[in-house]
Amino acid sequence: MTALTRRRLGGTGFEVSPIGIGTGSLGAVPEVTEPDQIDRFAVTTLRTALEAGINYIDTSPGYRGGDSDRRVGMALQDGWRERVVLATKVGSHPQRPGDFTARTAEWIIGQSLDVMETEYIDVALVHDPHDMDPVLGRGGAVEALERLKSSGTIRAIGIGVQNHDFLRTAIGSGRFDVVQSPYDFNLLRTTSEPLIELAAGHDMGFINASPFAAGLLAGVDPQEIVAVRAATGMWSLREGDITRARRIWNWAAGRGLDLRALAMQFCLRDRRISTTLIGPRRPSDVLEDLASATAEVSKAGWVALEEALLSFPPAAPGGEAAVGPYPPDG
C-alpha cells in the first residue's frame, strides 16, 4: 500500500486519499505578510498537495477571516476542481456565526459556491454547533442541506465538531454521510476510537483531523509551535497537551526516532479512517508530511512507542468531555 492509496468515504461514492488537506493554517507563516504574497503562497501549497496525489480539501468560510475559501477557489482553477473532493462548512460564516438555520445554511453554501467559483460542493459539513437541536430540528441546517443534496448542489452531508455526544447523535440520526472529529485520534489521545467504530458500523465516512495535534507532534520542540501559533493569531494550545507532547518529543529524540513519521503513520494505520487531515502552512510542510507517511518505522519502534505512551502524563481532555462544541480549557 502506498501512502496515497485511496479509501472509501463511507457510502458517499467518493474515493479519497488517506491524507487530506485542512486549510485552517494555510499561509499562516510569520514571515509572509502581504495579502497577495499570502495568496500565492497558499495556492502553491495546495497545488503541491494536489500534484502529489492528495485529492481531499477541507475548507470553511470561517477560516483565515474568510480567505480560505477564496484561496481554495484560486487553487482549483485550470481544471483542478474536477480532480478534488471538496468540503466546506455551514455555521461558521464570519457574517452569520453560530447561525444553524436552514435559511442561513443555504445562503452560506451559495456564498461558498460563488467565492470558490464552483457549481457544486462535494461534502457540506455542519461546523461546531453549540447544540444539536437547531441543527436537526424543523427549519434547521440539515433540512436545507438535504434539499441541496437532492438538487445536486451538494453531494454529501457531514458534521465536524469535537463534541463526541454531538457526533454520536449525528450518526444515530441517519441524516449524515460523514463525520469529522478533530484532535482526538493521535499520539496525545485516542478518545475518538469508539466513534470511529460506530461510524464504520453505519457505513459513514470518518474524517480524522490533526494527526500532529495542531503542530505539537510535528517533530520540533512543542514550544516552537506555541510561539508560531501566537505570532500568527491562532488559538492557544492547552497546557496538558503541551506537557504530554513535550514528553513524547523528548522520548523520540532520545531514541533517534522520527516523531513526525510516528504521528502520521499512527493515524494512517487505522483503515476505518477515510482520510486524516494535515494542516500545512507552506509547500514544504506538504512534502515533509508525505515523506513522513512513507518513512520506515521498525516493528521494534512501534512496540517501544506503544509501551512509552502508557507512561507519559495524560493529555488535556478531548471531545469526550465537551459540553458545547469544544472540550474544557484545562
Side-chain angles (χ1 to χ4, degrees), residues 105-127:
E106 196 158 1
W107 177 82
I108 291 172
I109 293 297
Q111 293 291 306
S112 290
L113 293 172
D114 289 344
V115 170
M116 291 191 284
E117 298 183 56
T118 183
E119 295 180 356
Y120 61 95
I121 300 295
D122 295 305
V123 182
L125 300 112
V126 176
H127 194 194

Side-chain angles (χ1 to χ4, degrees), residues 119-163:
E119 295 180 356
Y120 61 95
I121 300 295
D122 295 305
V123 182
L125 300 112
V126 176
H127 194 194
D128 287 345
H130 289 265
D131 185 347
M132 288 298 286
D133 288 342
V135 173
L136 294 170
R138 186 172 182 178
V142 173
E143 193 175 276
L145 296 180
E146 287 170 337
R147 287 197 298 268
L148 292 168
K149 184 179 177 182
S150 294
S151 71
T153 303
I154 67 174
R155 309 296 172 83
I157 300 171
I159 181 170
V161 64
Q162 198 168 0
N163 185 305

Side-chain angles (χ1 to χ4, degrees), residues 280-297:
R281 299 171 183 273
R282 63 188 93 207
S284 60
D285 291 345
V286 175
L287 300 177
E288 288 173 10
D289 291 350
L290 289 172
S292 296
T294 56
E296 183 176 353
V297 179

